[in-house]
Amino acid sequence: MKNTLGYALICLSISTAFAAQDADEYYQLPLEQLLQVTTQAKAQVGSRGDKRNALDAEVPIDVISAAELESSGHTSLISALAALVPGFNAPAPSIADGTDHAPPFTLRGLNPDQVLVLVNGKRLHQSSLLHNNGTVGRGSSSVDLNIIPLDAVSRVEILRESASAQYGSDAIAGTINIILKGYGQSSQARMHYGKTSKGDGEHKQASIFHSVPLSGDGFINLTGAWRDRGRSNRAAADTEDGGRINTRFGDADTQDGSFLLNAELLQGDTTLYSHALYNRRLSNAGAFFRRADSEQNIPELYPDGFLPKIAPKITDYSFSGGAKGILSDDTHWDLSYTHGHNDFHFYLKNSLNASLGRISPTSFDAGSTDYTQQILNLALSKKIGLHTLSYGYEWREEHYRINAGDSASYVQGPHPSAGGSQGFPGFGLANEVSQRRQTHSIYGDLNYRLSQRWTLDTATRLDHSSDFGSTFSGKLALRFRPTDTLLLRASLNTGFRAPSLTQSHFSYTGSYRNSADPAPTLWGNFAVDHPVSRALGAKDLKVEKSTHFAMGLVFEPAANLTASVDGFITDINDRIMPTAYISADSVPTAKSTLKQYDIDGAVYFTNAIKTRTHGVDLRLDYSHELKQGATLKFRSGYQYSKTRIQSINPPSTVLGNNAENVVLDSFSRVLVEQGQPAHRFNLRSTYSTRSYDLMFNLNRFGAYASTLDHYKVGFAAKWTLDAELAYHFDQSLTVALGGVNLFDTEPDTWEDSGYPRDPADKVVPYSQYSPLNFNGRYIYMRAHYKF
């Protein structure tokens, strides 16, 4: 930590050394230069009142502009934020079933489902996919940020603070509020093309944004986007298969089509508003290769072996509509309805069901998962002198479904081989489920101005759910400005995350064939209320509850220089995790239960552990006006966050003497405590003139650890550098050339870490946990035209 903290402090010292203009000097500027002055970023997240300066808030907030997202060189929102925001982690999964096609992200080293995502302040639905393999985010369902086209985004606000007292479940690690482009935007078209230095991973993207101004400040904004991301492959040669590269380890081959509407219409004192989103994704990625002589293969169908390909079709749509206005007593009101849906439909290509023999199909419909969310919200807010009182009511319904696939995708045929489609056995009739949850919430928020320099912000929320009962959350935040250049802040709040319907009701079964046993053996991931899970000690899942404390300061010695530091501690009780694989070998006391249900082993979800995450955030913003209208800007950030397991919840006695290792095995411990980098540093610099912009983005991804054969393996920290030169031919046309990871930095391989492996395992060179994409250097061009 000392080295990286030193880098951040050096950058702070260098930037502070620049002579800064006093704010009063802006009054002396001519109109042409005054129009180019940039003010503090505004943010609405974390407050029920009007948006305010992000740096003047009681809690830490990052604001990422549309220009920063565009010049990052990335075509997806997740990748762009991972490049720009310390503490935002988005590893690139591969050979991880559905996770390859809808990757998760995290904040502050916590879980993907402990982050709340809003669009224009309205909750965005989660994906129905459960990340169920050995990736960061295992055992969770997350929001798929990549369904939102970059051209529709005005800014992204990231609240680095627990906010359950304001927004409800999930907002433990933080809240992301995506603000869509509104009034006064220019219509524009954009094209992007790029590929890696190794010649693969080709990216093609085209988008158009059209804005129609209406009377007053009304508008209708339409965004259409198409993105084609070609696959990349970093798998090594298989020495046991003639030295050929037969596996795909890299980005999935993905095509996205997106449409987004954002509109406001003024009707007297009332504003009608809505935003709607539709995204359709076709994706294709490989599973593990099946060699020609494998018992999983049928040589008559695949004489040279085969690579099963998981090719899901994913559909997301969302709609929010409402009205807002001001009553006669100056009470602001906002009534809205939100509907969101995700359908994740699994298809298999180039596969087979070995238990069906030669008559097996080679393509399968493996079933689907669906998630639907509906929200009705009434929010009221009133100024009382210098104070603001906000309160409201919210109703939310969730619906989760698993739908069976074709029978050939899961059936056990007459041949003594593992049943089901290879690569991903389909959901069977026994896995089908349809479960709903309704939650009613009332909330209140009081921003109280104790004096001109002291502000107290309080919030409370009571949620009552149809399945887990009632939960109360509270927040207390204090802001003190002893001088005009210094702000001190502290906050204490409680939060919660309801167990997702996927965690409570996910069910997935399959079979494998042990070479020592001629008959296939069944295994399963069972819902917590399934008889197998109950017999093995499962109980209904409880709510995860958190306590968050933070203290920090913001120092603004000049209008163009701001530095902030915030420390935090987050305790989470009853964190939900999947158990280790419960078999007769690992848990002898479970042998009779497993035999009774004729299965080899089982996994279920449980409230497993208590954790503490502590850390510090440093931020620095500096800008300097140069001659002839040129501007130099620096933005740097550093985050340290470390999670420790404090205790393991008492496991069921059914699991015997080894129960704690079943609830928390070595794999899960390393994933929670060291699977994500504790340190992350970012320095972004931009030099802008009327003719061109030159951007450099320097990142340091900290060290992390993974597991292999139950052994912990460490991986070193890495530096990367991105750069872009954008030339403005006129006020309408901009053409840019850039590179991501210009020095072609690669994460450590397993061998680099010093861990020896069997030659058969070397086809996969990198850990799934790598925060650095393993594609290497990526070069791109983009064109941006306003009309």
Side-chain angles (χ1 to χ4, degrees), residues 101-385:
H101 314 277
F105 65 91
T106 67
L107 281 178
R108 289 182 162 178
L110 294 174
N111 266 0
D113 54 7
Q114 292 165 335
V115 182
L116 176 65
V117 178
L118 311 173
V119 175
N120 285 353
K122 309 301 181 184
R123 181 185 287 258
L124 183 63
H125 64 278
Q126 289 186 335
S127 170
S128 61
L129 173 70
L130 179 72
H131 302 295
N132 203 35
N133 281 331
T135 64
V136 169
R138 177 176 179 259
S140 67
S141 294
S142 57
V143 170
D144 185 356
L145 287 180
N146 287 344
I147 65 177
I148 300 175
L150 286 181
D151 267 5
V153 179
S154 173
R155 67 181 185 272
V156 178
E157 305 170 352
I158 301 180
L159 175 66
R160 294 178 275 121
E161 175 87 356
S162 178
S164 294
Q166 292 172 301
Y167 300 116
S169 178
D170 306 346
I172 291 178
T175 301
I176 297 175
N177 189 22
I178 301 166
I179 303 299
L180 303 177
K181 290 178 179 176
Y183 181 78
Q185 299 288 331
S186 299
S187 297
Q188 53 194 276
R190 184 172 70 158
M191 298 186 69
H192 177 110
Y193 178 82
K195 63 169 54 179
T196 72
S197 58
K198 296 177 176 60
D200 60 2
E202 186 178 47
H203 278 54
K204 293 175 285 187
Q205 178 168 299
S207 59
I208 186 167
F209 170 84
H210 183 55
S211 181
V212 180
L214 303 176
S215 59
D217 288 338
F219 59 88
I220 298 176
N221 292 341
L222 303 172
T223 306
W226 169 81
R227 183 169 69 104
D228 184 350
R229 185 188 70 179
R231 66 182 178 90
S232 63
N233 193 5
R234 299 296 174 266
D238 187 347
T239 57
E240 297 191 359
D241 190 37
R244 60 174 175 158
I245 297 178
N246 54 28
T247 297
R248 281 169 51 175
F249 185 82
D251 290 340
D253 187 356
T254 302
Q255 295 80 44
D256 277 89
S258 301
F259 174 80
L260 196 144
L261 162 74
N262 188 34
E264 287 190 7
L265 176 64
L266 275 67
Q267 296 289 316
D269 293 332
T270 302
T271 300
L272 305 178
Y273 63 87
S274 70
H275 63 263
L277 166 71
Y278 177 84
N279 178 270
R280 176 71 164 173
R281 180 177 305 158
L282 307 178
S283 194
N284 188 305
F288 283 103
F289 183 78
R290 271 63 168 169
R291 297 190 180 98
D293 59 353
S294 169
E295 63 183 21
Q296 299 170 314
N297 183 34
I298 299 174
E300 290 84 353
L301 296 179
Y302 299 106
D304 296 323
F306 67 102
L307 179 69
K309 297 176 182 177
I310 303 174
K313 297 179 180 179
I314 309 168
T315 303
D316 285 270
Y317 58 82
S318 176
F319 170 82
S320 286
K324 58 185 177 182
I326 305 176
L327 301 176
S328 57
D329 64 349
D330 289 332
T331 296
H332 291 249
W333 61 272
D334 187 337
L335 177 64
S336 65
Y337 170 77
T338 299
H339 182 102
H341 177 80
N342 168 262
D343 176 82
F344 201 110
H345 205 130
F346 288 88
Y347 292 92
L348 272 292
K349 299 179 179 179
N350 202 54
S351 181
L352 58 79
N353 183 337
S355 72
L356 295 176
R358 299 178 186 179
I359 65 171
S360 170
T362 57
S363 297
F364 302 87
D365 176 347
S368 67
T369 58
D370 298 307
Y371 176 81
T372 302
Q373 169 188 272
Q374 297 185 83
I375 301 173
L376 184 65
N377 186 281
L378 173 62
L380 301 162
S381 179
K382 181 179 176 61
K383 282 276 190 181
I384 305 174

Side-chain angles (χ1 to χ4, degrees), residues 561-575:
L561 176 62
T562 303
S564 66
V565 56
D566 292 276
F568 64 91
I569 298 175
T570 304
D571 290 338
I572 306 177
N573 293 319
D574 296 321
R575 284 186 63 167

Side-chain angles (χ1 to χ4, degrees), residues 162 164-165 168-172 396 439 461 463 468 471-473 494-498 543-546:
S162 178
S164 294
S169 178
D170 306 346
I172 291 178
R396 179 159 61 111
T439 303
R461 185 181 181 106
D463 294 78
F468 62 80
T471 303
F472 179 82
S473 302
T494 60
F496 76 99
R497 189 191 72 82
V543 171
E544 294 180 348
K545 293 187 176 181
S546 68

Side-chain angles (χ1 to χ4, degrees), residues 236 708-709 749-751 755-766:
L708 194 64
D709 300 329
T749 65
W750 293 100
E751 284 68 34
Y755 187 84
R757 292 196 299 164
D758 185 275
D761 297 329
K762 292 185 178 181
V763 295
V764 176
Y766 303 109

Side-chain angles (χ1 to χ4, degrees), residues 72 83-84 682-685 695-699 720-723:
S72 70
L84 298 172
N682 172 263
L683 172 62
R684 180 182 173 87
S685 59
M695 182 277 297
F696 292 98
N697 190 42
L698 179 67
N699 274 299
T720 65
L721 178 66
D722 311 331

